[in-house]
Amino acid sequence: MPNINREPLTGVTAVHDLIIKGATVIDGAGNAARTADVAVDGDRIVAIGRVDGAAHETVAADGLVLAPGIVDLHTHYDAQLTWDATASPSPSLGVTTVVMGNCGFGIAPCPPSMRDLLCTNLSEVEAMPIDDLRAGIDWSFETFPEYMDLLRRKGSYPNAAVFIGHSTVRSVVMGAAGSERAATDDEIAAMKAIVRGALDAGAVGFASSHSRNHFGHGGVPMPSRLAEQRELDALVGTLGEAGHGVFQITVGPDDTVEELEALAALSGRPVIFSALFHNDAFPERAPTMLDQCSAAQSRGNRVYAQVGCQPLSMDFTLANAYPMQSLEVWDELKGASAERIAAAIADRSFRDRFRAQLAEPKRGKIFYGDWQRVEIAQAAQPANRPLEGLAITAIASERSVDPLDCFFDLALEERLGTVFSAKLLNADEDAVEPLLRHPASLVSLSDAGAHLALMCDAGYGLTLLGHWVRDRGALDLVEAVRQVTSVPADLYGIADRGRIAVGAFADLLLFDPASVGCTRSRRVHDMPGGGSRLMRDPVGVNGVWVNGLQVFDGHDYTSPDRSPGRILDQFAA
């Protein structure tokens, strides 16, 4: 831990609020690391170099790396921030700015009559326990501007930017029909007015989804999936009319970079798509799409892909089997009772159909039955605890059975209570490395705030700085810091953040490059409705500051006099 002096000054006029002394400063802009002091007054950096004089707080960094805080472009804290100002676990994992409302899934605007529809759809598509959403969300708003005002009143530890979401807007305008049909001209006009009003009120942009894995309550498609091209053109075009904002979309298997480039040309605004993972079944898809993005940029159309630096891993039970939802054979079991699911997976004909579909490469499918990458995370019965941490292939070999039969039999034996952990995509690091180094990629995809019981990828930035820099040598530390700080901040128009420079906001991360990283997931029971979620803890993080105030001290969240984060509503063109 760095030596921190917070003694009140007596007989001395304080020069600065904070001085971090003797740090290895990596500024986020790509400049070479250097040893320097950094001084902060209020929320801004005021000096870099040798800083003499007194301060209310002095931190002796002793060679630790001081970098800008991580800018996390892909989170879903829209609901959580109404009950948890810390936006945990992100600040502890080095994140000082979060962008929320990705994929078009938000909670604003929302008149009272739409609350249950938005909640149930959000619960299904982002795997957020419905009881926790109902118990936790503060509905002291109806319009998007009122939601922004609520967030300002509540306060936030990280800075937060908010997308106006396509599925949310479609639900408000069309009700349940938003998941059933195309919109009329009048409905498109009503949606366009809401989107423009949100942009005028400070939305960072407009977000949508075409993903075939995005289902709402009862297995219905999320509303944005029903939008025709003319609707998407009209809503994305609103960004051009406003003169600011980015368009984020979670693509489906039929979306092409050519189509995304057309939207970038139409609006004149950046188009960011997710999620781009390495898929063993289609190994050329990700690098080809990145090369196509670079070609679009050469024509003046800003198209980028959000790329993950961690395996897409999920914990799940067969009672809530999100990874299986990309298989057609599982369609009949979406939203089904435990009894119905148990009867299906016990049936030999169902298993045969399931096995056959696993062998079929299909765009949009995320589960291929690589049983070596499926482990027992938690056994439901004490007698099976020795199986925890073992892959299905190992258990199947010990039992002399087929891995698929072993998988279903174990779930049946434990009444669907077995928690499995699967690495679904991005598991081949040799294939992932060139994606991270590609100039058209944005290292991102934490999904923080979503899939709470299934995964916790909020520490992707620490994984990049530790595993990919220190352990694999895939990037140097200066470039890795730039990729998760100034690159995303500049592209999204988040001014004066993502870099250590005189005049920039003092969003700072102090860490030890020899140890920085994340722990394995652990389960905590702290949700507002009594539910649980997976958490990861930082390793080698010594301090995090947002707008000059410390929010994490290396061990726990601090309690500043106020929540220091800003609800961002002004963005560079």
Side-chain angles (χ1 to χ4, degrees):
M1 284 292 294
N3 181 29
I4 300 177
N5 179 12
R6 295 192 180 92
E7 294 298 322
L9 299 172
T10 58
V12 176
T13 301
V15 177
H16 299 296
D17 291 325
L18 168 68
I19 300 176
I20 300 176
K21 299 189 73 68
T24 299
V25 175
I26 297 180
D27 65 4
N31 296 307
R34 61 172 173 145
T35 300
D37 307 331
V38 174
V40 175
D41 283 348
D43 59 4
R44 300 271 184 167
I45 297 167
V46 296
I48 305 170
R50 178 169 177 172
V51 179
D52 296 318
H56 287 296
E57 180 176 342
T58 302
V59 176
D62 295 329
L64 295 172
V65 170
L66 184 67
I70 294 164
V71 178
D72 187 344
L73 296 180
H74 198 111
T75 81
H76 292 276
Y77 281 124
D78 309 70
Q80 185 176 327
L81 264 188
T82 73
W83 73 72
D84 171 24
T86 67
S88 69
S90 285
S92 71
L93 299 167
V95 174
T96 55
T97 297
V98 299
V99 179
M100 317 187 306
N102 285 275
C103 313
F105 310 145
I107 59 172
C110 185
S113 61
M114 289 289 107
R115 290 174 185 170
D116 194 62
L117 177 63
L118 289 191
C119 264
T120 52
N121 278 348
L122 190 64
S123 172
E124 182 67 28
V125 74
E126 293 296 352
M128 301 176 181
I130 186 62
D131 291 342
D132 297 312
L133 292 177
R134 286 171 171 157
I137 295 177
D138 183 341
W139 290 108
S140 301
F141 65 91
E142 293 188 23
T143 68
F144 187 89
E146 290 171 348
Y147 173 70
M148 296 285 278
D149 287 341
L150 172 69
L151 295 181
R152 293 185 189 99
R153 293 195 305 272
K154 291 277 185 178
S156 172
Y157 274 40
N159 307 300
V162 189
F163 278 113
I164 179 69
H166 194 175
S167 283
T168 308
V169 171
R170 219 170 192 269
S171 294
V172 169
V173 170
M174 300 176 64
S179 290
E180 298 168 356
R181 61 171 174 83
T184 65
D185 289 344
D186 286 346
E187 288 166 339
I188 292 174
M191 286 187 262
K192 186 176 173 70
I194 293 173
V195 171
R196 181 55 193 268
L199 292 170
D200 292 344
V204 70
F206 171 67
S208 187
S209 172
H210 286 167
S211 172
R212 291 182 185 174
N213 296 317
H214 283 162
F215 295 94
H217 182 63
V220 302
M222 285 300 286
S224 61
R225 292 176 54 191
L226 277 291
E228 296 177 330
Q229 189 63 44
R230 66 191 186 95
E231 177 182 332
L232 194 61
D233 288 347
L235 299 181
V236 175
T238 307
L239 298 171
E241 297 168 9
H244 65 88
V246 301
F247 173 52
Q248 183 273 332
I249 182 168
T250 301
V251 294
D254 299 324
D255 289 316
T256 67
V257 173
E258 181 181 7
E259 292 167 339
L260 299 175
E261 183 181 359
L263 290 169
L266 169 72
S267 64
R269 304 304 308 160
V271 170
I272 318 297
F273 71 93
S274 52
L276 199 61
F277 292 112
H278 169 72
N279 186 329
D280 290 339
F282 298 96
E284 296 305 316
R285 181 173 184 265
T288 297
M289 293 185 80
L290 284 172
D291 288 343
Q292 291 170 342
C293 289
S294 290
Q297 293 168 24
S298 72
R299 293 184 285 268
N301 300 313
R302 291 172 288 176
V303 183
Y304 290 81
Q306 292 184 343
V307 173
C309 66
Q310 302 173 113
L312 178 62
S313 301
M314 284 191 175
D315 286 12
F316 64 96
T317 68
L318 289 190
N320 184 19
Y322 186 92
M324 309 301 171
Q325 292 189 1
S326 61
L327 299 172
E328 292 176 2
V329 69
W330 206 263
D331 286 348
E332 62 195 74
L333 300 180
K334 291 172 185 171
S337 67
E339 292 76 12
R340 173 73 184 89
I341 295 170
I345 66 174
D347 182 76
R348 176 57 56 184
S349 65
F350 178 88
R351 293 190 182 192
D352 289 342
R353 287 186 290 133
F354 191 93
R355 182 179 284 105
Q357 285 197 5
L358 289 180
E360 299 173 358
K362 177 185 172 184
R363 299 276 291 273
K365 190 162 78 172
I366 63 174
F367 185 72
Y368 282 88
D370 187 344
W371 301 111
Q372 189 173 355
R373 295 175 179 171
V374 181
E375 297 180 352
I376 308 302
Q378 183 176 345
Q381 296 180 2
N384 288 329
R385 296 287 161 76
L387 302 179
E388 293 178 351
L390 296 180
I392 293 297
T393 49
I395 301 170
S397 177
E398 176 68 23
R399 296 183 176 186
S400 299
V401 297
D402 177 81
L404 185 147
D405 291 325
C406 177
F407 175 67
F408 282 140
D409 287 346
L410 183 59
L412 288 170
E413 178 185 332
E414 300 202 319
R415 299 184 178 182
L416 307 190
T418 314
V419 179
F420 299 98
S421 181
K423 292 181 180 179
L424 303 170
L425 300 168
N426 252 33
D428 182 348
E429 292 190 340
D430 289 338
V432 172
E433 182 174 324
L435 306 184
L436 300 179
R437 297 168 63 94
H438 198 287
S441 69
L442 292 173
V443 182
S444 184
L445 295 174
S446 81
D447 251 2
H451 304 290
L452 301 173
L454 307 178
M455 61 184 245
C456 179
D457 282 350
Y460 76 96
L462 301 186
T463 298
L464 186 75
L465 301 177
H467 179 67
W468 289 97
V469 172
R470 180 188 61 242
D471 301 338
R472 279 188 61 96
L475 300 90
D476 65 49
L477 189 56
V478 168
E479 177 60 15
V481 167
R482 190 180 77 89
Q483 287 296 332
V484 294
T485 57
S486 69
V487 169
D490 291 352
L491 186 60
Y492 277 52
I494 302 172
D496 295 334
R497 300 190 190 276
R499 51 182 37 82
I500 294 177
V502 173
F505 289 104
D507 297 342
L508 303 169
L509 165 62
L510 186 65
F511 68 93
D512 181 356
S515 61
V516 68
C518 297
T519 65
R520 292 176 64 90
S521 297
R522 61 184 175 89
R523 189 166 297 278
V524 298
H525 297 265
D526 64 352
M527 295 293 285
S532 69
R533 58 177 174 152
L534 291 176
M535 294 277 280
R536 296 175 76 187
D537 300 309
V539 176
V541 170
N542 296 83
V544 179
W545 291 261
V546 176
N547 295 311
L549 294 179
Q550 190 174 59
V551 295
F552 184 76
D553 64 7
H555 296 288
D556 204 351
Y557 292 104
T558 57
S559 300
D561 294 337
R562 56 183 173 81
S563 298
R566 308 282 169 75
I567 305 304
L568 304 177
D569 56 12
Q570 298 290 325
F571 303 96

